[in-house]
Every structure is written in C-alpha cells, then in structure tokens.
Amino acid sequence: MDFDKTTITWQRVLDTCDRHLRGVTIGKGPKETIQPRGTVKGETPRVQHSREAGFDITVASEIMAVLALATDLSDLRSKLGNMVVGYSKAGEPITADDLGCGGALTVLMKDALLPTLMQTVERTPGKSAFVLFELLLNA
C-alpha cells in the first residue's frame, strides 16, 4: 500500500473545542524520526517524521456521525470499514478495512450503540431520560 501521508482524512479528536488546534504540525520532536523504506539501518540517516494535522471535537468526527446513523452492529461494522482514511500516491482511496482496522473500530464502538440512562442534576427520578444518540455538527 503506497499511502500518501499528506492525504490523511482523519483528524485527531478532543472533547474540548479549541480553534487553535484545528491546524498543527506533529512529529517535530527530536526522537520522532523514521528509517526510510528500502534503506539499511545504521547506514542511512533517519529522517524527521512530521506532517500537518489538526484536531476536531469528538462529537463532530466522522466516526460519531457513522455511530449516529448505524441501524445495528453489522451496519456499524460495514460503515466503519468503508470510511476513507486517506489516499494512495496513485489517488486511490484507502479505507479502514484496507488497513485491517474496521473490526477493531467496531469492537471499540459497539457499546456506544446502547441507550444511556441519564437524569437531571437534581436527581429527580421523574425527569430521567434515555438518550440514544445526539449528533453535533460543528463546522
């Protein structure tokens, strides 16, 4: 797989909205280097492994949108596996299933399909509610 790291479509996510983190450069530390493919360790110097990236708020991520739209566990698995995570240098889309992580994503998110019982701050029993899912779209 000839992954073009400049085309990664998934951002990192936080539960905090900080507009200054929408565009960051990662991998600039002195120990964040890689051995280029096809080179001999020790003979070829390591190169810096940095790239432009950014952060989204968690509830605005594509994974949360898929979770909100999934009808059952198998639908969730299919949708997560088909998510495009980037492109090859030839311009072909690379999906989560191409990377072999669609099933792992499903295992991590399977319990999120279940409803959550919430109550008011005053703990009033008559004011409890089942929350199935709320999707926040933050452009």
Side-chain angles (χ1 to χ4, degrees):
M1 188 175 321
D2 201 16
F3 205 113
D4 181 1
K5 70 177 184 176
T6 63
T7 65
I8 295 173
T9 59
W10 281 5
Q11 300 272 39
R12 288 165 162 73
V13 294
L14 292 170
D15 281 334
T16 304
C17 184
D18 188 343
R19 293 187 187 276
H20 295 292
L21 295 176
R22 288 189 178 181
V24 297
T25 302
I26 60 170
K28 296 191 64 111
K31 294 187 177 186
E32 298 179 45
T33 60
I34 60 168
Q35 185 72 40
R37 284 191 182 148
T39 61
V40 179
K41 188 174 183 176
E43 290 181 15
T44 308
R46 296 175 65 83
V47 296
Q48 195 69 36
H49 185 60
S50 62
R51 68 177 178 91
E52 295 297 314
F55 288 84
D56 290 330
I57 56 174
T58 304
V59 294
S61 70
E62 186 177 0
I63 290 177
M64 288 303 182
V66 165
L67 180 64
L69 297 171
T71 56
D72 57 22
L73 190 60
S74 63
D75 186 41
L76 178 66
R77 169 64 179 92
S78 174
K79 286 178 177 4
L80 288 172
N82 289 327
M83 289 176 44
V84 174
V85 298
Y87 295 87
S88 70
K89 290 183 180 172
E92 295 295 319
I94 297 173
T95 65
D97 275 344
D98 291 337
L99 297 177
C101 64
L105 287 168
T106 306
V107 169
L108 289 171
M109 301 303 292
K110 68 178 177 59
D111 291 336
L113 280 175
L114 303 174
T116 303
L117 178 63
M118 301 179 81
Q119 64 184 18
T120 64
V121 175
E122 297 87 17
R123 294 193 166 97
T124 308
K127 295 191 178 173
S128 297
F130 279 105
V131 178
L132 294 176
F133 203 91
E134 176 183 342
L135 181 61
L136 171 68
L137 297 176
N138 183 9

